[in-house]
PDB file of all heavy atoms in Angstrom:
ATOM      1  N   ASN S  59     -11.424   8.687 -28.932  1.00 81.00           N
ATOM      2  CA  ASN S  59     -11.792   9.393 -27.707  1.00 81.00           C
ATOM      3  C   ASN S  59     -10.536   9.800 -26.930  1.00 81.00           C
ATOM      4  O   ASN S  59     -10.347   9.441 -25.782  1.00 81.00           O
ATOM      5  CB  ASN S  59     -12.682   8.509 -26.824  1.00 81.00           C
ATOM      6  CG  ASN S  59     -13.983   8.172 -27.500  1.00 81.00           C
ATOM      7  OD1 ASN S  59     -14.547   9.010 -28.186  1.00 81.00           O
ATOM      8  ND2 ASN S  59     -14.437   6.951 -27.333  1.00 81.00           N
ATOM      9  N   LYS S  60      -9.703  10.583 -27.572  1.00 81.00           N
ATOM     10  CA  LYS S  60      -8.420  10.938 -26.969  1.00 81.00           C
ATOM     11  C   LYS S  60      -8.594  11.810 -25.722  1.00 81.00           C
ATOM     12  O   LYS S  60      -7.777  11.781 -24.827  1.00 81.00           O
ATOM     13  CB  LYS S  60      -7.555  11.667 -27.980  1.00 81.00           C
ATOM     14  CG  LYS S  60      -6.143  11.861 -27.503  1.00 81.00           C
ATOM     15  CD  LYS S  60      -5.254  12.266 -28.628  1.00 81.00           C
ATOM     16  CE  LYS S  60      -3.860  12.484 -28.106  1.00 81.00           C
ATOM     17  NZ  LYS S  60      -2.972  11.411 -28.435  1.00 81.00           N
ATOM     18  N   LYS S  61      -9.679  12.583 -25.633  1.00 85.00           N
ATOM     19  CA  LYS S  61      -9.885  13.457 -24.481  1.00 85.00           C
ATOM     20  C   LYS S  61     -10.461  12.718 -23.273  1.00 85.00           C
ATOM     21  O   LYS S  61     -10.535  13.278 -22.185  1.00 85.00           O
ATOM     22  CB  LYS S  61     -10.800  14.617 -24.858  1.00 85.00           C
ATOM     23  CG  LYS S  61     -10.148  15.576 -25.832  1.00 85.00           C
ATOM     24  CD  LYS S  61     -11.027  16.741 -26.110  1.00 85.00           C
ATOM     25  CE  LYS S  61     -10.336  17.691 -27.073  1.00 85.00           C
ATOM     26  NZ  LYS S  61     -11.177  18.852 -27.371  1.00 85.00           N
ATOM     27  N   SER S  62     -10.871  11.484 -23.454  1.00 89.00           N
ATOM     28  CA  SER S  62     -11.413  10.688 -22.354  1.00 89.00           C
ATOM     29  C   SER S  62     -10.254  10.150 -21.515  1.00 89.00           C
ATOM     30  O   SER S  62      -9.383   9.449 -22.011  1.00 89.00           O
ATOM     31  CB  SER S  62     -12.239   9.539 -22.918  1.00 89.00           C
ATOM     32  OG  SER S  62     -12.660   8.692 -21.893  1.00 89.00           O
ATOM     33  N   ARG S  63     -10.245  10.499 -20.235  1.00 90.00           N
ATOM     34  CA  ARG S  63      -9.140  10.114 -19.358  1.00 90.00           C
ATOM     35  C   ARG S  63      -9.676   9.432 -18.093  1.00 90.00           C
ATOM     36  O   ARG S  63     -10.813   9.611 -17.722  1.00 90.00           O
ATOM     37  CB  ARG S  63      -8.313  11.333 -18.975  1.00 90.00           C
ATOM     38  CG  ARG S  63      -7.742  12.029 -20.187  1.00 90.00           C
ATOM     39  CD  ARG S  63      -6.898  13.205 -19.813  1.00 90.00           C
ATOM     40  NE  ARG S  63      -6.539  13.982 -20.971  1.00 90.00           N
ATOM     41  CZ  ARG S  63      -5.444  13.809 -21.685  1.00 90.00           C
ATOM     42  NH1 ARG S  63      -4.612  12.859 -21.363  1.00 90.00           N
ATOM     43  NH2 ARG S  63      -5.194  14.568 -22.718  1.00 90.00           N
ATOM     44  N   GLU S  64      -8.793   8.682 -17.460  1.00 92.00           N
ATOM     45  CA  GLU S  64      -9.133   7.989 -16.225  1.00 92.00           C
ATOM     46  C   GLU S  64      -8.037   8.284 -15.201  1.00 92.00           C
ATOM     47  O   GLU S  64      -6.860   8.313 -15.543  1.00 92.00           O
ATOM     48  CB  GLU S  64      -9.210   6.487 -16.493  1.00 92.00           C
ATOM     49  CG  GLU S  64      -9.868   5.704 -15.424  1.00 92.00           C
ATOM     50  CD  GLU S  64     -10.131   4.270 -15.864  1.00 92.00           C
ATOM     51  OE1 GLU S  64      -9.713   3.868 -16.955  1.00 92.00           O
ATOM     52  OE2 GLU S  64     -10.752   3.571 -15.066  1.00 92.00           O
ATOM     53  N   GLN S  65      -8.428   8.518 -13.925  1.00 94.00           N
ATOM     54  CA  GLN S  65      -7.452   8.851 -12.896  1.00 94.00           C
ATOM     55  C   GLN S  65      -7.400   7.766 -11.825  1.00 94.00           C
ATOM     56  O   GLN S  65      -8.428   7.233 -11.418  1.00 94.00           O
ATOM     57  CB  GLN S  65      -7.786  10.190 -12.239  1.00 94.00           C
ATOM     58  CG  GLN S  65      -7.547  11.361 -13.154  1.00 94.00           C
ATOM     59  CD  GLN S  65      -7.682  12.678 -12.424  1.00 94.00           C
ATOM     60  OE1 GLN S  65      -8.353  12.767 -11.407  1.00 94.00           O
ATOM     61  NE2 GLN S  65      -7.035  13.703 -12.957  1.00 94.00           N
ATOM     62  N   PHE S  66      -6.170   7.488 -11.379  1.00 96.00           N
ATOM     63  CA  PHE S  66      -5.921   6.526 -10.308  1.00 96.00           C
ATOM     64  C   PHE S  66      -5.116   7.218  -9.220  1.00 96.00           C
ATOM     65  O   PHE S  66      -4.306   8.091  -9.499  1.00 96.00           O
ATOM     66  CB  PHE S  66      -5.140   5.314 -10.828  1.00 96.00           C
ATOM     67  CG  PHE S  66      -5.858   4.563 -11.900  1.00 96.00           C
ATOM     68  CD1 PHE S  66      -5.564   4.783 -13.240  1.00 96.00           C
ATOM     69  CD2 PHE S  66      -6.831   3.637 -11.578  1.00 96.00           C
ATOM     70  CE1 PHE S  66      -6.221   4.095 -14.228  1.00 96.00           C
ATOM     71  CE2 PHE S  66      -7.491   2.943 -12.563  1.00 96.00           C
ATOM     72  CZ  PHE S  66      -7.190   3.168 -13.891  1.00 96.00           C
ATOM     73  N   GLU S  67      -5.355   6.809  -7.971  1.00 95.00           N
ATOM     74  CA  GLU S  67      -4.668   7.430  -6.843  1.00 95.00           C
ATOM     75  C   GLU S  67      -3.976   6.361  -6.005  1.00 95.00           C
ATOM     76  O   GLU S  67      -4.538   5.306  -5.728  1.00 95.00           O
ATOM     77  CB  GLU S  67      -5.670   8.184  -5.978  1.00 95.00           C
ATOM     78  CG  GLU S  67      -5.050   8.845  -4.776  1.00 95.00           C
ATOM     79  CD  GLU S  67      -6.075   9.551  -3.921  1.00 95.00           C
ATOM     80  OE1 GLU S  67      -6.779   8.856  -3.178  1.00 95.00           O
ATOM     81  OE2 GLU S  67      -6.159  10.782  -4.018  1.00 95.00           O
ATOM     82  N   LEU S  68      -2.740   6.652  -5.605  1.00 95.00           N
ATOM     83  CA  LEU S  68      -1.976   5.783  -4.723  1.00 95.00           C
ATOM     84  C   LEU S  68      -1.594   6.605  -3.496  1.00 95.00           C
ATOM     85  O   LEU S  68      -0.840   7.580  -3.604  1.00 95.00           O
ATOM     86  CB  LEU S  68      -0.719   5.261  -5.434  1.00 95.00           C
ATOM     87  CG  LEU S  68       0.171   4.313  -4.668  1.00 95.00           C
ATOM     88  CD1 LEU S  68      -0.591   3.029  -4.350  1.00 95.00           C
ATOM     89  CD2 LEU S  68       1.411   4.003  -5.458  1.00 95.00           C
ATOM     90  N   ALA S  69      -2.149   6.252  -2.343  1.00 95.00           N
ATOM     91  CA  ALA S  69      -1.909   7.015  -1.119  1.00 95.00           C
ATOM     92  C   ALA S  69      -1.057   6.185  -0.162  1.00 95.00           C
ATOM     93  O   ALA S  69      -1.284   4.990   0.005  1.00 95.00           O
ATOM     94  CB  ALA S  69      -3.222   7.381  -0.450  1.00 95.00           C
ATOM     95  N   SER S  70      -0.052   6.831   0.451  1.00 96.00           N
ATOM     96  CA  SER S  70       0.755   6.155   1.473  1.00 96.00           C
ATOM     97  C   SER S  70       0.540   6.867   2.804  1.00 96.00           C
ATOM     98  O   SER S  70       0.637   8.088   2.896  1.00 96.00           O
ATOM     99  CB  SER S  70       2.233   6.146   1.085  1.00 96.00           C
ATOM    100  OG  SER S  70       2.739   7.448   1.017  1.00 96.00           O
ATOM    101  N   TYR S  71       0.240   6.073   3.835  1.00 96.00           N
ATOM    102  CA  TYR S  71      -0.074   6.581   5.170  1.00 96.00           C
ATOM    103  C   TYR S  71       1.116   6.346   6.084  1.00 96.00           C
ATOM    104  O   TYR S  71       1.805   5.334   5.971  1.00 96.00           O
ATOM    105  CB  TYR S  71      -1.309   5.877   5.726  1.00 96.00           C
ATOM    106  CG  TYR S  71      -2.512   6.024   4.830  1.00 96.00           C
ATOM    107  CD1 TYR S  71      -2.862   5.026   3.933  1.00 96.00           C
ATOM    108  CD2 TYR S  71      -3.282   7.174   4.861  1.00 96.00           C
ATOM    109  CE1 TYR S  71      -3.965   5.173   3.098  1.00 96.00           C
ATOM    110  CE2 TYR S  71      -4.381   7.325   4.041  1.00 96.00           C
ATOM    111  CZ  TYR S  71      -4.711   6.316   3.163  1.00 96.00           C
ATOM    112  OH  TYR S  71      -5.787   6.474   2.341  1.00 96.00           O
ATOM    113  N   LYS S  72       1.348   7.288   7.007  1.00 96.00           N
ATOM    114  CA  LYS S  72       2.481   7.188   7.925  1.00 96.00           C
ATOM    115  C   LYS S  72       2.029   7.490   9.350  1.00 96.00           C
ATOM    116  O   LYS S  72       1.164   8.327   9.560  1.00 96.00           O
ATOM    117  CB  LYS S  72       3.575   8.179   7.529  1.00 96.00           C
ATOM    118  CG  LYS S  72       4.133   7.951   6.152  1.00 96.00           C
ATOM    119  CD  LYS S  72       5.067   9.063   5.766  1.00 96.00           C
ATOM    120  CE  LYS S  72       5.325   9.003   4.286  1.00 96.00           C
ATOM    121  NZ  LYS S  72       5.866  10.249   3.778  1.00 96.00           N
ATOM    122  N   ARG S  73       2.634   6.794  10.307  1.00 95.00           N
ATOM    123  CA  ARG S  73       2.380   7.023  11.724  1.00 95.00           C
ATOM    124  C   ARG S  73       3.727   7.082  12.453  1.00 95.00           C
ATOM    125  O   ARG S  73       4.688   6.416  12.059  1.00 95.00           O
ATOM    126  CB  ARG S  73       1.545   5.892  12.343  1.00 95.00           C
ATOM    127  CG  ARG S  73       0.184   5.698  11.725  1.00 95.00           C
ATOM    128  CD  ARG S  73      -0.753   6.824  12.105  1.00 95.00           C
ATOM    129  NE  ARG S  73      -2.074   6.600  11.585  1.00 95.00           N
ATOM    130  CZ  ARG S  73      -2.522   7.059  10.430  1.00 95.00           C
ATOM    131  NH1 ARG S  73      -1.736   7.764   9.654  1.00 95.00           N
ATOM    132  NH2 ARG S  73      -3.755   6.832  10.035  1.00 95.00           N
ATOM    133  N   LEU S  74       3.759   7.849  13.531  1.00 95.00           N
ATOM    134  CA  LEU S  74       4.972   8.026  14.313  1.00 95.00           C
ATOM    135  C   LEU S  74       4.672   7.708  15.774  1.00 95.00           C
ATOM    136  O   LEU S  74       3.687   8.200  16.329  1.00 95.00           O
ATOM    137  CB  LEU S  74       5.456   9.471  14.182  1.00 95.00           C
ATOM    138  CG  LEU S  74       6.800   9.823  14.755  1.00 95.00           C
ATOM    139  CD1 LEU S  74       7.893   9.160  13.926  1.00 95.00           C
ATOM    140  CD2 LEU S  74       6.984  11.319  14.744  1.00 95.00           C
ATOM    141  N   ILE S  75       5.517   6.877  16.395  1.00 92.00           N
ATOM    142  CA  ILE S  75       5.360   6.504  17.801  1.00 92.00           C
ATOM    143  C   ILE S  75       6.693   6.751  18.495  1.00 92.00           C
ATOM    144  O   ILE S  75       7.730   6.268  18.035  1.00 92.00           O
ATOM    145  CB  ILE S  75       4.953   5.025  17.950  1.00 92.00           C
ATOM    146  CG1 ILE S  75       3.637   4.757  17.214  1.00 92.00           C
ATOM    147  CG2 ILE S  75       4.841   4.642  19.413  1.00 92.00           C
ATOM    148  CD1 ILE S  75       3.284   3.297  17.121  1.00 92.00           C
TER     149      ILE S  75
END
Side-chain angles (χ1 to χ4, degrees):
N59 297 322
K60 189 166 179 104
K61 292 184 179 180
S62 174
R63 301 182 189 268
E64 194 170 5
Q65 289 189 336
F66 299 98
E67 179 182 78
L68 182 63
S70 63
Y71 303 97
K72 299 173 195 162
R73 300 288 184 267
L74 188 69
I75 301 171

